[in-house]
Amino acid sequence: MNPAQNAQPPQLPQPSSLSFTQGFLLGQLSIVILIGAFIKFFIFGDPPSSHTPTSSFSVSTSGSGPSHHKRVPSLRHKPSTSAPATILAKTYYNTHAHQPESLDWFNVLIAQTIAQFRADAHADNAILTSLTALLNGPQKPEFLASIKVTEINLGEEYPIFSNCRVHPVDEGDGAGGGRLQAWMDVDLSDAVTLGVETTMVLNFPRDRTAVLPVALSVSVVRFSGTLSISFVPVSAPASGGLGDLQGDRAGGSTSTHTPTSLAFSFLPNYTLSLSTRSLLGSRSRLQDVPKIAQLVESRLRTWFEERCVQPRMQQVAVPNLWPRMKNVVEGEGGMPQGPGLRERDLREEARREVEEERRERDGQGLRWRGGGRGDYEMPGPMPGMMVA
């Protein structure tokens, strides 16, 4: 027998279990060291040095001794007054390249407002009573007898605004200030009519030497022009808004803020077309006297230009838009179910003012002439309106 065949094969060494245990423990120890280093240096690390610049909300102490003055961090930020150029840049409005806007949505809102105004004016003969009290007020000339409103027509059409564009206006103070001004074209073609009757009395050399009945009717047929609108800050301080809310929380102290008013005016190149009808006398009447029409139209144009044509303008205070509980109206789907309390209060206040004016007029001896007939029906395009 071959001795090579009887030789046994060499045995492979067995893996040691001790080396596996050492590697496992070493890995676990490494993980524990990493976790401990993370907790020590990233979670429980030392605060930044005092030489490190801090934010604006940090508290700094100064001085020596037992008393230290602390600067309390403030969360209030004073609003910056942006120049018109900055506002235009942040709103992506280029005054040179931006196309004029049509203002269709604005026309709808204005039409709804005018429609509600017409409905309120006809309710309870409110406009008739107000106009009668106004025309017979202290400014009425002495040579005119009591003025009676015979015709009222508020029209049926609505103004159309178009071609709106925004332009910056320099105030000329040299400090880079100014304001933004919106120009828009307005056009109205309607027949807004007011008709009155009165009597011209000549009291010289004795009372009622001559009496001349006069009937006059003026209609605005067409108006077109360019309307200018801008927001102008008012220098006089007034309370309200967020300052009142903070003052109430601070213990009753009030703060003031600068209110803003809405300024509007028309450019001088406006067009106002009027239609005037007149009737003089009782028996032999003169109808549509040209001189009377010319005088009335001139006075109306002067009255309008002295109030609303540049360089003069009308300023209307912008109401406080800060949310308040007294302005809350509950409704389904975000719409009020009926007129709010504020609207009802305004109507009641207007009704009381009209009643006070009527009592004051009666107290001054202004009576309707006609032999005590009482109420009578007013002629004109609004039949059924009774005047007391």
Side-chain angles (χ1 to χ4, degrees), residues 222-272:
R222 186 174 184 271
F223 176 82
S224 63
T226 302
L227 176 63
S228 173
I229 299 178
S230 61
F231 289 98
V232 180
V234 181
S235 58
S239 60
L242 184 59
D244 290 346
L245 180 62
Q246 294 176 350
D248 295 340
R249 293 181 177 180
S253 60
T254 60
S255 61
T256 59
H257 77 288
T258 302
T260 303
S261 63
L262 177 65
F264 67 92
S265 61
F266 291 92
L267 298 185
N269 58 347
Y270 70 94
T271 300
L272 179 61

Side-chain angles (χ1 to χ4, degrees), residues 91-169:
T91 54
Y92 307 102
Y93 192 98
N94 189 352
T95 57
H96 301 286
H98 199 283
Q99 297 295 328
E101 301 179 11
S102 61
L103 295 180
D104 294 337
W105 62 273
F106 187 71
N107 293 329
V108 175
L109 295 180
I110 293 297
Q112 291 180 350
T113 305
I114 295 177
Q116 184 63 38
F117 169 76
R118 290 171 178 171
D120 295 340
H122 288 288
D124 300 333
N125 297 339
I127 187 173
L128 176 63
T129 307
S130 302
L131 285 177
T132 303
L134 178 63
L135 295 176
N136 291 278
Q139 298 181 353
K140 182 176 69 88
E142 297 181 355
F143 59 86
L144 292 180
S146 178
I147 301 176
K148 180 180 65 175
V149 179
T150 59
E151 184 179 1
I152 300 177
N153 185 9
L154 298 179
E156 299 178 354
E157 303 297 331
Y158 302 100
I160 302 298
F161 296 86
S162 61
N163 196 22
C164 179
R165 57 270 188 201
V166 177
H167 297 278
V169 178

